[in-house]
DNA sequence: CCATTTTATGTAATCGATTTCCTTTAAATG
DNA sequence: CATTTAAAGGAAATCGATTACATAAAATGG
């Protein structure tokens, strides 16, 4: 492996000079700079980052911790983040936690040991009895920006979507179409995202004086299978809902599957609002009406925040929490409610 | 930051002893080991990886270079790879190239500089006039395993899917349904994957004595927009094909959109076979008949290969190239060809 | 032209671990 | 109990960069 001393020897200068050229700190004569550059090219020299870290304390690496990279929301957010950090020559270590806080803890320690310059964290649901971990999280030696999910109402750098607004928009849309029996399929984890979407749903119902039926509120883990099973349990209710709002994309897929298995047509027999907007949702049928989150922009913004913190410190931020708005995309999975058309089980 | 000397001081031993305990090299008395472990816990010490690298020459980090993480194939492969490397305590730097070989070159240099232990490369299409880069790729100082795409027929460690088989299976399926006018939408990049899928298509047609209509072979870049545009051009042909095989998942989505825009029903008016199998494809309509690749397993296998190389050297491999088989999933997007039902433009 | 300032370059310490080599201590052996 | 052997632990070199400090060379000004 060619190292800085080799370059120095070849160029006939000291390592200090080579270093100065590489890090363009000035105070190098034009002609020597050329000699050094020449030697670097000749030898195909690249500085050794881990060695460099020892003095500079920077790795030019950040970590992104996500619950599940196969959920299409996260790759989009990842790309958003990557697009901004690459301009500063950062590179990203990607970690999957599978919604498991222990995995998150493990990865966090590793990232700390590997001396990443900062972390973008999409939090796994907190486990009860693990409060001292939150304590640790708040005093991490490395800057951290929360993305999408806010574990508690704390004043920490974070980029989130307007989840209350999303839940509210979806539910209001269904109410305006005449639905009164509106169910919700959401996630049971103790995370802001899900609390807030449910809150938006409740707000909308309250505002229209629709009483809240607690049996219409189904919670589970965010998987397709769970979507199927919760979908089934709603379909099989005596007083079956005429519309269902699913607050998670994987559960939405499961719900659609459950409807199909039960022989129910969407939107004729039952209306559905899903969450997140992906390419295929506007092509295959039924075209889903969804709450679209600005996934890419969320990633960008979070990365931008982190870089700002890295550069100017956390106190330089005008406001730590950034809320991005969502958009209801009305397509074909919601119908007008008409008593006559409703099949009962 | 707490370092090994702090631990040594606290435990009343030398740094050498602490190091021996951490790396469990033996020759440490039980009682001293306990003292050291105690001090480590007390001080919350984690070894500094970049510093450690200087002596060990290992970062416990690998790089994965993908063309586009928002294409659902890649997150699945990523997870497969992660699932195996995490057992060896590796962590992954993920790099997106956007099918741009220059981006790939840039990332490769960075990964080299950051001293990753190995690289999993899903190649961007080679640019002409960039042959010396392939030369470099073949003599990289860091072990590399090719995944999915093989730039040339070389004897390098690689894990690929049976693309000829995939193209053949899809086309044969359509032929068996009575189709004779079978078009293909594929990718123009000079990569094995696409060459081979097309080869499978050609093989199947030849085998059934169906002449190859070069106007039925459409090539473009792998995006939804391109799928739409190539779909349009096929639909608008005087002698419109009765079936279309799309060899890329994003182009498949575009194709479906084009059919819809033209008012064509699938499978009644035209049959479609797509590529790759994702959750939603079995739920939304038309349910696509697809060639399913073992994405997760491909990631696993490639990671496993890489780790084997890291452990035992590249010469320890029984065979460098591993081909995994694909599966034709027959669903509802292909119909039996009947002359009478065919609408002509 | 010389004193002084500015610019250019080199020497050596340093970052935080691992590891070789050596010394000390303990255990085993006859 | 003396001697040999094995186990335990420490001192210091080392990995490949950056950088503080020292010094040499060039530029500037009177």
């Amino acid at each position: 492996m060619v190292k800085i001393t080799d370059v120095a020897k070849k160029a006939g200068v000291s390592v200090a000079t080579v270093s100065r050229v590489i890090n363009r700190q000035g105070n190098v004569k034009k002609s020597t700079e050329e000699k050094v550059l020449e030697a670097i090219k000749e030898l195909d020299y690249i500085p050794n980052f881990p060695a460099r870290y020892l003095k500079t304390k920077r790795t030019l690496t950040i970590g992104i911790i996500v619950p599940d990279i196969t959920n299409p929301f996260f790759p989009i957010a990842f790309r958003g983040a990557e697009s901004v950090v690459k301009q500063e020559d950062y590179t990203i270590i990607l970690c999957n936690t599978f919604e498991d806080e222990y995995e998150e803890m493990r990865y966090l320690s590793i990232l700390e040991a590997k001396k990443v310059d900062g972390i973008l964290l999409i939090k796994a649901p907190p486990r009860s009895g693990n409060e001292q971990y939150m304590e640790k999280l708040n005093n991490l030696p490395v800057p951290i920006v929360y993305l999408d999910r806010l574990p508690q109402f704390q004043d920490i750098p974070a980029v989130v979507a307007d989840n209350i607004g999303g839940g509210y928009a979806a539910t209001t849309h269904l109410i305006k179409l005449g639905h009164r029996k509106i169910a919700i399929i959401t996630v049971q984890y103790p995370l802001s995202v899900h609390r807030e979407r449910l809150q938006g749903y409740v707000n909308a119902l309250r505002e229209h004086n629709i009483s809240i039926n607690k049996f219409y509120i189904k919670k589970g883990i965010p998987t397709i299978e769970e979507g199927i099973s919760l979908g089934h349990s709603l379909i099989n209710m005596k007083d079956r809902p005429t519309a269902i709002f699913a607050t998670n994309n994987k559960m939405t897929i499961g719900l659609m599957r459950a409807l199909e298995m039960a022989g129910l047509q969407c939107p004729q027999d039952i209306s559905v609002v899903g969450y997140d907007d992906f390419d295929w949702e506007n092509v295959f049928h039924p075209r889903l009406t969804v709450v679209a989150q600005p996934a890419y922009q969320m990633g960008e913004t979070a990365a931008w925040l982190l870089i700002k913190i890295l550069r100017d410190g956390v106190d330089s931020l005008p406001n730590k929490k950034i809320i991005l708005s969502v958009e209801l995309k009305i397509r074909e999975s919601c119908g007008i409610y008409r008593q006559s058309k409703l099949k009962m089980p």
Side-chain angles (χ1 to χ4, degrees), chain A:
Chain A
M1 199 198 50
V2 29
K3 47 193 160 179
I4 199 169
T5 51
D6 301 323
V7 175
K9 203 169 299 168
K10 177 129 198 161
V13 297
S14 74
V15 292
T17 302
V18 176
S19 177
R20 274 187 282 257
V21 169
I22 291 168
N23 301 297
R24 46 184 69 75
Q25 307 188 252
N27 285 350
V28 179
K29 217 199 302 175
K30 195 79 189 168
S31 64
T32 38
E33 174 170 354
E34 276 162 12
K35 272 191 302 181
V36 171
L37 257 20
E38 175 71 21
I40 287 175
K41 178 158 291 176
E42 203 107 331
L43 297 173
D44 228 341
Y45 168 74
I46 333 176
N48 183 316
F49 270 67
R52 166 184 281 181
Y53 159 83
L54 274 186
K55 291 301 281 187
T56 64
K57 302 296 175 197
R58 300 184 66 207
T59 52
L60 283 183
T61 302
I62 67 164
I64 298 190
I65 301 181
V66 303
D68 177 10
I69 193 67
T70 68
N71 179 330
F73 176 82
F74 298 114
I76 298 175
F78 179 92
R79 279 240 294 97
E82 188 195 30
S83 74
V84 351
V85 301
K86 79 186 284 188
Q87 299 183 346
E88 317 273 327
D89 286 323
Y90 283 91
T91 237
I92 306 174
I93 294 181
L94 179 63
C95 311
N96 259 278
T97 62
F98 285 87
E99 308 278 7
D100 180 351
E101 198 178 40
Y102 292 154
E103 272 300 302
E104 178 180 302
M105 292 167 69
R106 194 181 73 88
Y107 270 126
L108 210 66
S109 295
I110 295 180
L111 291 179
E112 213 182 313
K114 294 201 173 172
K115 300 300 167 189
V116 295
D117 295 335
I119 293 173
L120 248 45
L121 175 59
I122 303 169
K123 186 90 191 63
R127 289 175 179 260
S128 57
N130 204 10
E131 285 75 19
Q132 83 290 359
Y133 170 60
M134 276 310 298
E135 188 61 28
K136 179 186 171 187
L137 221 38
N138 289 331
N139 301 309
L140 224 53
V142 31
I144 188 165
V145 170
Y146 285 79
L147 178 53
D148 187 39
R149 301 167 172 194
L150 220 43
Q152 289 156 235
F153 293 90
Q154 289 171 283
D155 189 31
I156 43 182
V159 175
V160 297
D162 177 11
N163 292 296
I164 297 182
Y168 181 86
T171 312
T172 303
H173 176 64
L174 291 168
I175 294 171
K176 292 246 172 81
L177 288 172
H179 294 278
R180 290 299 173 269
K181 298 177 184 174
I182 303 171
I184 183 171
I185 288 179
T186 186
V187 179
Q188 69 192 10
Y189 298 148
L191 290 170
S192 58
V193 181
H194 308 113
R195 253 197 320 269
E196 291 173 6
R197 289 176 196 170
L198 179 60
Q199 186 61 55
Y201 161 87
V202 168
N203 290 356
L205 292 181
R206 286 242 176 81
E207 195 174 305
H208 292 83
N209 292 312
I210 302 171
S211 66
I212 285 143
N213 180 343
K214 68 177 181 185
F215 298 109
Y216 283 172
I217 300 176
K218 296 288 181 189
K219 296 184 178 183
I221 58 173
T223 63
I224 293 176
E225 293 67 36
E226 190 87 346
I228 295 176
S229 119
L230 297 181
H232 276 315
S233 71
L234 283 172
I235 291 166
N236 293 330
M237 283 179 73
K238 243 193 358 266
D239 196 17
R240 177 197 290 166
T242 65
I244 302 175
F245 169 38
T247 68
N248 169 272
N249 58 51
K250 293 215 171 186
M251 292 168 109
T252 306
I253 293 176
L255 169 62
M256 298 312 288
R257 184 121 185 71
L259 295 185
E260 181 122 15
M261 288 158 79
L264 291 175
Q265 298 282 315
C266 172
Q268 294 91 328
D269 300 326
I270 198 160
S271 294
V272 170
V273 178
Y275 227 93
D276 292 330
D277 184 34
F278 307 122
D279 296 327
W280 47 269
E281 292 181 329
N282 198 21
V283 174
F284 293 86
H285 294 263
R287 290 196 158 93
L288 279 184
T289 291
V290 295
V291 178
Q293 302 191 87
Y296 190 87
Q297 197 195 344
M298 288 168 75
E300 278 183 318
T301 311
W304 175 86
L305 251 194
L306 184 58
I307 284 188
K308 177 120 179 65
I309 293 173
L310 258 30
R311 224 194 324 246
D312 308 325
V314 68
D315 298 320
S316 73
L317 302 179
N319 48 352
K320 294 192 180 171
K321 185 171 162 185
I322 297 178
I323 303 177
L324 299 178
S325 53
V326 299
E327 186 188 354
L328 182 71
K329 298 227 172 173
I330 297 174
R331 295 204 269 254
E332 300 162 359
S333 63
C334 299
I336 295 173
Y337 170 66
R338 264 166 284 149
Q339 182 72 38
S340 56
K341 284 204 67 175
L342 186 69
K343 293 193 220 162
M344 293 307 279

